Amino acid sequence: MAQRAAERDAGHAEGRLAGTQAVRTPGGSARHAGEPRASRAVQHPGIQAADPPAGRTGERGADLGFDAETVKTLRDRIADRIRESIIDGRITPGERLVEPDLARRLGVSRTPLREALLLLDSEGFVRVTPRRGAEVSPLSRSDANDTYEVKGLLESFAARLACTRITDEELSHLRALHDRMCRLAAARSKDVRTLLQANAEFHQYLSDASGNEKLAGYIRALRGQALRYNYIYMSVLSHLATSMKEHERILAALQKRDGPTVERLVRAHGDAAGK
C-alpha cells in the first residue's frame, strides 16, 4: 500500500512540474492537457492526400498541427487540375477564378487553393492581383513568340547536356516514346490530345535527361504554356510527318553523342513548332 501511494504521489508531482494534467482520450490512450491532438487526413473528392515519403516522417508546420508534405502535395494536385483545365481550354483566357466557387467545385479548402494559384501565377498560367483575386492569363501572338523563343533556347541547351549524360536505358525509353508517337500519327483517326501529350512527353524526357533539375523544371513550365497554343492552333498536326523525321534525326545524333548537332537540331525543331 505504501509503495502504491508513493508511486501515485510521484505521478502527481510529475504532472505539476510539467504544468499539465493527464487526460484520457476516447481511444483509451493518455495525453496531457494542452498537447495537440493527432491530425487527421481529410479526403477530398478527386484529390487524395499523399503519404509522407517512405522512411521519413512528414515535416510538421511549427506548432500549426499540419503535415507539410501533405499540404504541399495537395497544393500541387490542385494546381495540376487547374493547369490542365487551362491548357485544354476548359477554363478560358481572361476568366476570373473566384476562390469560394473554385474551392467548392474542387472540394478543397481555400488555403491550399490559394497556394496553388500562387504557384500557377509563378508559372505564368494565372495572374494573381491583391484584392482582386486571380484570372487566367490571356493569350497573344507576342506571348506565344516569347514562350517558344525561350523554350527553344533552354531545350536545345538541355539536349546538349543530355547528350553526354543520357544512359543507354534512357535512350531506349526515348526511342520507345518516339515509336509510340509514330503509331499515333499513323492512325486513321487521330487523337489530338493524346498526340500533343505524347509529343510533350518525348521532349520533356529529353530535357530531364540533362540531369539539371532546375533547367528541366523551367522547361516543364514553359511547355505547359506552349501547350495552350498547341491546343488552339494544332501546330503539331500541321507538320506531323516532318516532326517525326526531325525526331529521328535527333535520336540518331544522341546515339552518336554528338552534342553540337543535337543542340542545333532541337533548336531548329523548336523554331519550326513555334511558327
Side-chain angles (χ1 to χ4, degrees), residues 40-41 43 69 73 91 99 126 130 134 162 168 174 214 217 243 247 259 270:
R40 296 175 57 192
Q43 298 294 327
E69 283 293 332
T73 300
I91 302 178
E99 285 187 15
V126 304
D168 290 340
L174 194 63
K214 181 164 290 190
S243 182
H247 284 186

Side-chain angles (χ1 to χ4, degrees), residues 122-220:
S122 71
E123 295 176 353
F125 286 98
V126 304
R127 293 178 178 177
V128 177
T129 306
R131 295 182 296 278
R132 290 191 58 186
E135 64 178 30
V136 178
S137 298
L139 297 176
S140 67
R141 171 60 65 180
S142 62
D143 178 71
N145 290 338
D146 291 348
T147 299
Y148 277 97
E149 188 173 60
V150 177
K151 183 173 74 71
L153 181 64
L154 295 182
E155 279 186 319
S156 59
F157 176 60
R160 180 160 186 159
L161 291 179
C163 209
T164 58
R165 300 175 181 179
I166 194 169
T167 66
D168 290 340
E169 182 180 359
E170 289 171 332
L171 191 54
S172 295
H173 183 70
L174 194 63
R175 165 65 67 179
L177 292 175
H178 169 66
D179 291 343
R180 174 174 177 264
M181 191 172 177
C182 287
R183 290 193 298 272
L184 291 169
R188 185 182 299 275
S189 178
K190 293 177 175 52
D191 184 335
V192 175
R193 181 184 180 88
T194 303
L195 263 172
L196 290 173
Q197 291 295 341
N199 184 66
E201 188 176 358
F202 173 87
H203 285 285
Q204 189 60 50
Y205 192 85
L206 175 55
S207 297
D208 291 343
S210 70
N212 188 316
E213 294 183 4
K214 181 164 290 190
L215 176 61
Y218 290 144
I219 294 171
R220 186 175 295 106

Side-chain angles (χ1 to χ4, degrees), residues 1 3 30 78 88-89 94 112 138 212 241 275:
M1 293 288 292
Q3 181 179 358
I78 296 169
D88 63 20
N212 188 316
K275 293 180 180 178

Side-chain angles (χ1 to χ4, degrees), residues 13-144:
E14 183 181 356
R16 286 194 299 272
L17 287 172
T20 62
Q21 180 180 357
V23 178
R24 185 65 57 182
T25 63
S29 61
R31 66 178 180 85
H32 287 94
E35 183 181 53
R37 298 177 183 270
S39 60
R40 296 175 57 192
V42 179
Q43 298 294 327
H44 300 292
I47 305 177
Q48 295 181 346
D51 295 329
R56 291 182 55 192
T57 301
E59 179 186 358
R60 297 178 65 81
D63 300 325
L64 298 179
F66 61 79
D67 186 316
E69 283 293 332
T70 299
V71 171
K72 178 182 177 182
T73 300
L74 181 57
R75 178 206 66 175
D76 290 344
R77 291 184 180 181
I78 296 169
D80 286 345
R81 293 183 63 181
I82 298 173
R83 188 188 298 108
E84 289 172 4
S85 297
I86 293 173
I87 287 173
D88 63 20
R90 283 177 288 169
I91 302 178
T92 58
E95 182 175 338
R96 286 198 62 208
L97 302 175
V98 182
E99 285 187 15
D101 295 342
L102 198 53
R104 186 170 57 254
R105 286 163 55 190
L106 293 173
V108 299
S109 65
R110 292 177 65 178
T111 298
L113 172 60
R114 191 172 293 117
E115 292 295 324
L117 292 174
L118 290 173
L119 174 62
L120 293 170
D121 178 85
S122 71
E123 295 176 353
F125 286 98
V126 304
R127 293 178 178 177
V128 177
T129 306
R131 295 182 296 278
R132 290 191 58 186
E135 64 178 30
V136 178
S137 298
L139 297 176
S140 67
R141 171 60 65 180
S142 62
D143 178 71

